């Protein structure tokens, strides 16, 4: 039973760095695990949250999210739950290198997927991401009422639901998402209502400079967008 004064915090955590030697957009494809650096990031998140009142931990079904959530759950002696609604956004370019000169965009047959950035035409509609992510957020709130919850997900869905809550347009420049690897986007609820959104980067010193929030890709860097 909730009250209008009850405070609950739900942390949406982006997973750590992924082992991706071929530089592809891995999306929802299975078999992509955290790199050694990514595991260090996951441990850092667990350390950062060690003294918080965490009552519930849940993750996307993808390996990289489960592996990021595991140290948090272990630290707090909690079981790790799975919520399919926290999964990465679907994308037609999954499994391909994504770029103009040497990636999927050099093929004219793929250009039809880029006709509508507002929906977007290359993947799961933004509004569908909002619906499922809000469902996952509210379920985590209900599971941890009066305490805190951790939900491990992926960059695009996290950024989209934050944009919705903060009443920004959903279409955007991907290079400007404030959602660095192993970052926390934290939603504070008063009762059933979100009253504030915070952002923190406990593993910032471990993240390569060109992958930090708001950084532009470096020439010659990875072709893949870490998801």
């Amino acid at each position: 039973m909730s009250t209008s004064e009850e405070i609950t915090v739900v942390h949406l955590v982006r997973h750590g760095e992924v082992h991706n030697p071929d530089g592809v957009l891995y999306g929802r494809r299975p078999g992509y695990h955290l790199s050694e650096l990514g595991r260090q990031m996951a441990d850092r998140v667990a350390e950062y949250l060690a003294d918080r009142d965490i009552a519930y931990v849940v993750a996307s079904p993808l390996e990289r999210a489960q592996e990021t959530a595991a140290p948090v759950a272990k630290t707090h002696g909690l079981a790790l739950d799975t919520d399919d609604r926290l999964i990465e956004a679907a994308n037609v370019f999954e499994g391909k290198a994504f770029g103009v000169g040497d990636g999927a965009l050099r093929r004219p047959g793929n250009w039809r997927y880029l006709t509508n950035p507002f929906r977007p035409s290359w993947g799961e509609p933004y509004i569908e991401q909002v619906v499922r992510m809000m469902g996952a957020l509210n379920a985590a709130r209900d599971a941890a009422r009066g305490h805190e919850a951790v939900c491990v997900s992926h960059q695009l869905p996290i950024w989209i639901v934050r944009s919705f809550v903060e009443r920004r347009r959903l279409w955007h420049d991907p290079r400007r998402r404030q959602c660095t690897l192993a970052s926390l986007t934290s939603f504070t609820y008063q009762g059933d209502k979100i009253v504030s959104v915070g952002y923190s980067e406990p593993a910032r010193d471990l993240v390569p400079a060109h992958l930090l929030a708001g950084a532009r890709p470096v020439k010659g860097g990875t072709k893949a967008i870490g998801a």
Side-chain angles (χ1 to χ4, degrees):
M1 184 71 67
S2 66
T3 70
S4 61
E5 300 302 317
E6 182 180 61
I7 300 298
T8 307
V9 180
V10 179
H11 304 283
L12 266 183
V13 179
R14 184 183 172 194
H15 61 78
E17 184 190 65
V18 174
H19 180 63
N20 182 20
D22 296 326
V24 301
L25 184 68
Y26 35 79
R28 293 181 174 181
R29 295 168 71 89
Y32 284 87
H33 297 266
L34 293 182
S35 65
E36 181 55 39
L37 180 60
R39 293 183 183 279
Q40 293 177 39
M41 292 177 180
D43 288 341
R44 181 70 62 81
V45 171
E47 292 169 7
Y48 181 76
L49 293 171
D51 295 329
R52 303 298 292 259
D53 184 21
I54 306 298
Y56 181 65
V57 182
V58 63
S60 152
L62 295 173
E63 294 97 333
R64 57 192 183 272
Q66 294 278 318
E67 291 164 1
T68 301
V72 179
K74 182 178 180 180
T75 296
H76 291 275
L78 297 170
L80 173 56
D81 204 353
T82 299
D83 190 331
D84 290 344
R85 292 173 293 188
L86 293 169
I87 200 167
E88 174 60 291
N91 191 306
V92 297
F93 296 108
E94 283 181 14
K96 303 174 183 177
F98 188 80
V100 177
D102 55 356
L105 295 186
R106 69 180 178 179
R107 300 180 181 87
N110 287 330
W111 297 350
R112 68 184 186 277
Y113 296 120
L114 306 176
T115 56
N116 185 356
F118 305 105
R119 185 178 184 267
S121 52
W122 54 83
E124 182 183 8
Y126 292 138
I127 192 60
E128 292 183 10
Q129 295 179 53
V130 168
V131 170
R132 65 177 173 85
M133 290 295 288
M134 284 302 302
L137 275 174
N138 291 339
R141 173 205 63 200
D142 292 342
R145 283 199 179 271
H147 305 279
E148 300 184 31
V150 172
C151 305
V152 181
S153 186
H154 308 267
Q155 185 190 61
L156 179 55
I158 294 173
W159 181 248
I160 289 299
V161 75
R162 176 181 174 182
S163 296
F164 173 78
V165 169
E166 294 182 331
R167 300 183 179 181
R168 287 193 303 275
R169 67 189 186 197
L170 300 184
W171 63 273
H172 60 282
D173 181 344
R175 299 168 297 181
R176 294 308 183 197
R177 296 172 189 158
Q178 189 183 41
C179 191
T180 292
L181 290 165
S183 62
L184 282 71
T185 302
S186 303
F187 299 80
T188 299
Y189 286 82
Q190 184 173 349
D192 290 341
K193 181 181 179 182
I194 296 174
V195 294
S196 67
V197 181
Y199 178 78
S200 56
E201 297 177 351
R204 182 181 178 87
D205 61 306
L206 299 177
V207 180
H210 69 284
L211 295 179
L212 288 169
R216 291 185 178 276
V218 295
K219 186 175 181 180
T222 179
K223 304 181 184 69
I225 298 173

